[in-house]
Amino acid sequence: MSEKAKGIGLFGLIGMVVSSCIGSGVFAITGQLAGVASPGAVLIAWLVVGVGFAALALSLNNLGAKKPELKGIFQYAEEGFGPLAGFISGWGYWLSAWLGNIAFATMMMSTLGYFFPTFLPGNTLPCVIVASLFMWALTFLVIRGVESASFLNAIVMVAKVASLGIFLIFAIFMFNAGIFTADFWGNVYNNAVAACEAGVDAVGLGSIGEQVMNCMIIMMWVFIGIEGAAVMSSRARNKNEVGKATVIGLICLLLIYIGCSVLPYGYMSYTEIATLDYPAMLYVFDSMAPGWGGAFISIAIIVGVAGAWLSFTMLPAETTSEMAERHLLPESWGKLNSKGAPQMSLLLVGACIQVFLIVLMFSEDAYNFAFSMCTVSIVITWSFIALYQIKFSAGEKNTAQIIVGVVALIFQVVGVLYNGWSFLLLTCVGYIPGFFVYAKARKDRGHAITSGEKVGIGAVSALGILALVLVGMGVIGI
């Protein structure tokens, strides 16, 4: 009997979580963290993030076991708080999926810059042209009915695991405790910035608390995909294994991410790493293994990002199909062509990506902007999971599970509001056209928009309009 007929087993679900999360972020995270935090603060941040995502994983574990009939993570919001909440959750996931492709495009082009400097910093005109051609090629590939790319996915996974494994081996053997602890808390750097009158452009790292908080969005980005097993729950052989797979996958990811982001600080000082181009791992390994290291990581990144890009081309289309089935989007969004692909949805996603690729030509830091938007969008979905975990557990009078949900929710909300509030406002802009689509879907199915829904739609739309005003005033930059 085929795997499809049997359903996806525990190992396959764990692979879904790990494969979905490991994309472009792991290759850039060392340099990103080095720019905002010292080694000690990074370790504390990983502890905080580990606890936060453990709470989210345990929430998915609990809900998956007790509400196995719910398919797709946006259904938790719909079940707990009504159709509009389900739409907001699903639309956030849809926005996140294709916004992630913008980050992939920037990362791939930055990596090509290792071979062709004209592609640096990843958002030049040649980058936009090449990325656009690649994006439309993937879109039409999926439109022609590419439902499973097992061979490509196998190549991608081998490239990711092999490259990260080799990098970690080199990083372990070349680790120097003296370099790692030289400025463990960032005090030397902060003092140097404060004392340097000429260095007016230099900015201190701040207190340990500030450094930890500045790591949040960066670290949350690399866990997009932690819900992978939950998204595929309808195809799981045993739905009770979905939550278990999420928890095991999280543990594996934490070990990989902490190793890849922290060990390099024992080879180069974090201040040196912070000055490297994206992705930092490429240039660190180029120094570790002169002559071949840079090229090796570059090829691994390009292959890995290409595979992730393919997955994230299919993911938003699959999400909109499920939402159309739930009457949260018009039927046309889920309509399949003769090849079994949701053609209209795929073309719409391609058009949205194309617009953003052009806009990012004018961004000072295209990669940070893209991954921050992607992360904040999916945090909306994650927050609804935590909220439903609290509500469901309160109904069961299960105090321990309520606490798990509260921890997950506080982690998501605080992490975004502290250093992602501007991106949250910009995400509200993306909901404005979505609300018109939602209203049409409800009307087509004979459902009127309730007064409560009108208040919610008005509030989110007002925040979106405020974001546009702040962009025009220069308060929010892109």
Side-chain angles (χ1 to χ4, degrees), residues 307-325:
W309 199 339
L310 175 61
S311 297
F312 273 67
T313 298
M314 294 184 285
L315 203 57
E318 186 170 329
T319 300
T320 53
S321 294
E322 292 179 353
M323 291 176 70
E325 290 180 9

Side-chain angles (χ1 to χ4, degrees), residues 58-339:
L58 290 172
S59 296
L60 286 168
N61 182 33
N62 179 55
L63 296 174
K66 295 177 180 176
K67 299 290 291 185
E69 70 275 12
L70 297 180
K71 300 185 299 181
I73 54 175
F74 70 88
Q75 288 192 28
Y76 293 127
E78 182 186 10
E79 176 76 7
F81 309 101
L84 180 62
F87 169 78
I88 291 175
S89 176
W91 193 260
Y93 191 74
W94 178 77
L95 287 172
S96 176
W98 65 260
L99 283 168
N101 284 341
I102 310 297
F104 293 151
T106 309
M107 172 64 75
M108 183 181 285
M109 296 305 106
S110 297
T111 304
L112 287 175
Y114 176 80
F115 302 104
F116 310 104
T118 188
F119 283 92
L120 291 174
N123 62 333
T124 61
L125 180 59
C127 292
V128 172
I129 293 172
V130 173
S132 298
L133 291 172
F134 187 79
M135 180 270 294
W136 284 114
L138 286 182
T139 299
F140 287 113
L141 186 66
V142 177
I143 285 175
R144 290 182 60 84
V146 178
E147 297 178 355
S148 175
S150 57
F151 180 69
L152 176 60
N153 285 336
I155 295 175
V156 168
M157 279 309 298
V158 169
K160 288 178 183 178
V161 173
S163 61
L164 294 176
I166 292 173
F167 176 79
L168 286 172
I169 291 171
F170 271 73
I172 290 171
F173 279 99
M174 294 187 171
F175 184 84
N176 184 316
I179 295 175
F180 185 72
T181 59
D183 188 16
F184 192 68
W185 298 112
N187 296 326
V188 175
Y189 182 79
N190 282 332
N191 293 338
V193 170
C196 183
E197 296 180 2
V200 292
D201 293 329
V203 178
L205 297 176
S207 66
I208 301 302
E210 290 174 320
Q211 293 179 51
V212 170
M213 293 305 299
N214 288 334
C215 293
M216 290 295 101
I217 290 292
I218 298 171
M219 290 181 173
M220 291 167 80
W221 154 243
V222 297
F223 285 100
I224 290 180
I226 193 69
E227 71 292 331
V231 172
M232 301 299 291
S233 62
S234 61
R235 302 183 188 180
R237 184 173 57 206
N238 182 352
K239 288 185 172 60
N240 290 329
E241 293 180 337
V242 170
K244 185 187 299 184
T246 303
V247 174
I248 296 173
L250 173 64
I251 294 171
C252 295
L253 288 166
L254 281 170
L255 292 174
I256 293 171
Y257 289 155
I258 293 173
C260 288
S261 64
V262 175
L263 287 175
Y265 299 151
Y267 175 73
M268 290 184 182
S269 69
Y270 71 92
T271 52
E272 290 179 292
I273 293 175
T275 64
L276 298 177
D277 288 323
Y278 287 143
M281 182 186 288
L282 188 164
Y283 297 96
V284 171
F285 198 56
D286 191 37
S287 175
M288 288 180 173
W292 65 274
F296 173 80
I297 291 292
S298 295
I299 295 170
I301 292 173
I302 291 171
V303 173
V305 169
W309 199 339
L310 175 61
S311 297
F312 273 67
T313 298
M314 294 184 285
L315 203 57
E318 186 170 329
T319 300
T320 53
S321 294
E322 292 179 353
M323 291 176 70
E325 290 180 9
R326 302 291 301 175
H327 304 172
L328 302 179
L329 288 175
E331 289 186 27
S332 57
W333 285 65
K335 187 176 180 181
L336 305 180
N337 62 14
S338 59
K339 302 290 186 178

Side-chain angles (χ1 to χ4, degrees), residues 449-473:
I449 302 297
T450 66
S451 57
E453 289 180 328
K454 289 178 181 177
V455 171
I457 290 172
V460 175
S461 299
L463 291 174
I465 294 170
L466 173 62
L468 293 175
V469 173
L470 293 177
V471 169
M473 295 172 60

